[in-house]
Amino acid sequence: MAGSGVFEDIIEGDVFKYYTDGEWKKSASGKSVAIINPTTRTTQYKVQACTQEEVNKVMESAKIAQKQWAKTPLWKRAELLHKAAAILKEHKAPIAECLVKEIAKPAKDAVTEVVRSGDLISYCAEEGVRILGEGKFLVSDSFPGNERTKYCLSSKIPLGVVLAIPPFNYPVNLAVSKIGPALIAGNSLVLKPPTQGAVACLHMVQCFHLAGFPKGLINCVTGKGSEIGDFLTMHPGVNCISFTGGDTGVAISKKAGMVPLQMELGGKDACIVLEDADLDLVAANIIKGGFSYSGQRCTAVKVVLVMESVADALVEKVNAKVAKLKVGPPEDNCDITPVVSESSANFIEGLAKDAKAKGATFCQEYKREGNLIWPLLLDNVRPDMRIAWEEPFGPIVPVIRINSIEEGIHHCNASNFGLQGCVFTKDINKAILISDAMETGTVQINSAPARGPDHFPFQGLKDSGIGSQGITNSINMMTKIKSTVINLPTPSYTMG
Ligand code: G3P
């Protein structure tokens, strides 16, 4: 159960504590932030409302701890990460329970998220040992005008304090995708969890605590974005920001100082379907890609662009599968569960109403109870409808019928987003040409967009983000190159 057993230190009364200096603490504010269960729409948990003064102290602890951590042998850092991964997996049940209650993630998927996170941490440890254990040796005589008088030794060094801000939809997995690379690379960490998902994050942090990481190295502050959000992202003690979320990322990028940024800010992933596509495969992928976790994934299929000649057949196949989706509470492992908040449900509803007013075909009746929205396929969507461009983050998938491949590519590229996209065809030559033409960070051929496996590069173009993620890229991003140049008095040529 949440907050019990090995997790009993992280809660006092009914409020979960924040974590710094290797200890669980109560905020001096005496205030808390309520976490509303999306299914019951009542307060499920409470977390501390940390103050700016507390953030200052946390930053100081992180700075001190990092200096020591950077002197800790790489193999020891890896060993601790492996230990944390094992503890996390061992306690998957209570953490998954938090995900079910805080973000209405279907029970089975919640467990998968925790296990995937443990694997991700272990992979970071292994990859870090490999790529951080190597540097470069350069000699000067390859550049015109130089003799071989300079030897350059370059290696990767940590950045310092990494501020990690994960989103509500994968609070544990997208936290560890920042924590793992940061720690193996010798950085310390300040984690600001999303409000929905904060308690799952706090449980995850306790697993790192139990693994025995040095005090101050990992810190987790909770609170209101309005109170500590900007204060954190503009804090002079921060040396790197890794953020996953929505528009807030754009605001952060404008306010952050001279620090490296890693951002993933959503997408409007297009699914282009050609005449020769295997329509059963496409339908299965639209269901998986568009409706899993009720469409609340950055990489969800958010618009289907199908050739007119096969559109009727595809819509029929998708509708048959939509009818089989189980709608209800996450505890019952339903496919479609309540969306994260009432405001989110209202936004989704607004998109559906706009499409209705402008003449889209509703393949199912629009139905909503509280935050629960029934899955909906919208056919005959046109570019003048908001749903053609905006990201619903809900169980609604629009279908736009196209008459040429160019039309599909044009719609995909006209979006402000550029996260992923996918193309379905049996013609690999066409698939490659379309992939090259799509302005997105990744194109999946004959499968729905997805971030994993977690060591694959993951990046968005345009408003979808800054930099690239995936384990290897994140480790590299959270380091800097440091060079030492040995200057010789006379040229020296090996075997010369
Ligand atoms: O930010 C990425 C997330 O929303 C999607 O991840 O693993 O479901 O493709 P995934």
Side-chain angles (χ1 to χ4, degrees):
M1 244 245 313
S4 65
V6 298
F7 299 108
E8 67 183 20
D9 289 348
I10 78 172
I11 187 166
E12 192 175 308
D14 63 348
V15 187
F16 283 88
K17 298 187 207 166
Y18 76 102
Y19 183 72
T20 187
D21 260 334
E23 286 172 25
W24 291 97
K25 298 188 181 178
K26 279 166 71 179
S27 168
S29 74
K31 292 185 195 148
S32 63
V33 179
I35 297 169
I36 309 296
N37 180 324
T39 313
T40 62
R41 294 193 291 155
T42 58
T43 298
Q44 180 72 42
Y45 302 124
K46 288 180 198 160
V47 293
Q48 305 291 326
C50 290
T51 64
Q52 296 186 351
E53 207 175 305
E54 281 156 351
V55 168
N56 282 334
K57 285 197 189 135
V58 162
M59 287 295 173
E60 200 45 42
S61 299
K63 191 175 169 183
I64 295 166
Q66 192 273 325
K67 299 283 172 221
Q68 224 24 60
W69 183 242
K71 292 180 191 152
T72 305
L74 192 50
W75 68 265
K76 274 197 185 169
R77 292 185 218 157
E79 199 174 74
L80 279 171
L81 281 168
H82 280 302
K83 214 168 153 192
I87 297 171
L88 187 76
K89 283 183 174 183
E90 188 188 335
H91 298 289
K92 58 181 186 285
I95 302 174
E97 179 199 308
C98 299
L99 294 172
V100 169
K101 303 290 181 203
E102 286 181 286
I103 61 165
K105 186 161 273 196
K108 227 167 56 209
D109 296 348
V111 173
T112 306
E113 174 171 348
V114 183
V115 174
R116 173 182 178 182
S117 302
D119 292 339
L120 195 158
I121 297 168
S122 292
Y123 198 105
C124 285
E126 287 162 22
E127 186 71 342
V129 164
R130 278 193 292 270
I131 65 174
L132 298 167
E134 283 181 357
K136 257 190 172 181
F137 171 58
L138 293 93
V139 287
S140 50
D141 64 312
S142 53
F143 198 85
N146 283 272
E147 289 281 11
R148 202 170 191 268
T149 53
K150 291 175 189 289
Y151 291 173
C152 176
L153 306 171
S154 80
S155 61
K156 289 175 184 140
I157 59 165
L159 296 176
V161 179
V162 172
L163 173 63
I165 310 181
F168 83 82
N169 62 345
Y170 285 96
V172 174
N173 185 260
L174 283 168
V176 302
S177 75
K178 304 170 193 314
I179 297 172
L183 292 181
I184 193 66
N187 300 287
S188 63
L189 217 115
V190 175
L191 173 68
K192 165 66 180 78
T195 297
Q196 309 278 143
V199 174
C201 269
L202 293 170
H203 282 71
M204 175 268 295
V205 168
Q206 172 71 343
C207 296
F208 280 85
H209 172 81
L210 295 172
F213 279 88
K215 65 178 200 161
L217 189 69
I218 303 163
N219 307 274
C220 183
V221 288
T222 52
K224 285 196 183 352
S226 55
E227 176 71 18
I228 58 168
D230 281 355
F231 193 73
L232 272 164
T233 52
M234 293 163 77
H235 201 284
V238 169
N239 305 113
C240 168
I241 302 175
S242 179
F243 174 90
T244 308
D247 297 352
T248 321
V250 179
I252 292 175
S253 72
K254 287 185 181 142
K255 290 178 198 156
M258 285 272 291
V259 297
L261 301 177
Q262 183 184 50
M263 296 207 164
E264 196 266 278
L265 312 178
K268 183 75 185 168
D269 294 6
C271 170
I272 299 182
V273 186
L274 305 196
E275 287 105 334
D276 69 340
D278 174 343
L279 295 184
D280 290 313
L281 180 72
V282 183
N285 275 278
I286 290 173
I287 294 295
K288 183 171 129 233
F291 294 105
S292 54
Y293 188 37
S294 307
Q296 297 173 110
R297 297 167 53 244
C298 302
T299 50
V301 167
K302 299 207 180 95
V303 58
V304 177
L305 302 160
V306 57
M307 292 297 278
E308 179 70 62
S309 58
V310 290
D312 283 343
L314 179 65
V315 166
E316 197 184 316
K317 284 179 191 290
V318 177
N319 278 336
K321 288 183 188 293
V322 168
K324 289 189 188 140
L325 291 173
K326 216 171 124 192
V327 182
E331 287 84 354
D332 293 353
N333 257 321
C334 290
D335 303 301
I336 304 294
T337 55
V339 296
V340 72
S341 64
E342 192 174 337
S343 61
S344 180
N346 291 343
F347 176 77
I348 298 161
E349 184 165 299
L351 293 178
K353 281 187 176 160
D354 174 79
K356 180 117 204 153
K358 291 172 183 161
T361 308
F362 277 52
C363 299
Q364 294 77 25
E365 191 194 337
Y366 175 75
K367 196 172 161 197
R368 169 182 170 186
E369 273 171 23
N371 295 352
L372 187 61
I373 294 177
W374 268 250
L376 181 59
L377 190 74
L378 297 178
D379 195 4
N380 296 305
V381 166
R382 288 190 324 266
D384 64 325
M385 299 174 191
R386 286 176 56 205
I387 191 77
W389 306 104
E390 294 180 41
E391 192 184 21
F393 238 66
I396 300 192
V397 177
V399 176
I400 297 180
R401 293 165 176 245
I402 54 173
N403 291 302
S404 67
I405 294 174
E406 290 68 30
E407 206 183 321
I409 292 170
H410 179 265
H411 187 93
C412 166
N413 292 351
S415 169
N416 291 336
F417 289 115
L419 189 59
Q420 293 208 358
C422 58
V423 53
F424 285 85
T425 172
K426 293 193 187 96
D427 185 335
I428 189 65
N429 298 326
K430 274 190 191 159
I432 296 289
L433 287 174
I434 293 170
S435 167
D436 284 343
M438 286 170 86
E439 292 168 4
T440 60
T442 302
V443 175
Q444 305 269 350
I445 297 174
N446 292 325
S447 187
R451 178 170 46 117
D454 291 325
H455 65 302
F456 278 15
F458 179 55
Q459 54 282 316
L461 306 185
K462 300 189 270 186
D463 288 354
S464 284
I466 301 175
S468 179
Q469 300 179 56
I471 291 169
T472 314
N473 288 345
S474 291
I475 295 174
N476 284 328
M477 186 269 166
M478 290 175 185
T479 59
K480 258 192 175 182
I481 303 290
K482 165 84 187 253
S483 299
T484 299
V485 181
I486 302 165
N487 289 275
L488 303 173
T490 51
S492 177
Y493 290 85
T494 315
M495 301 296 285

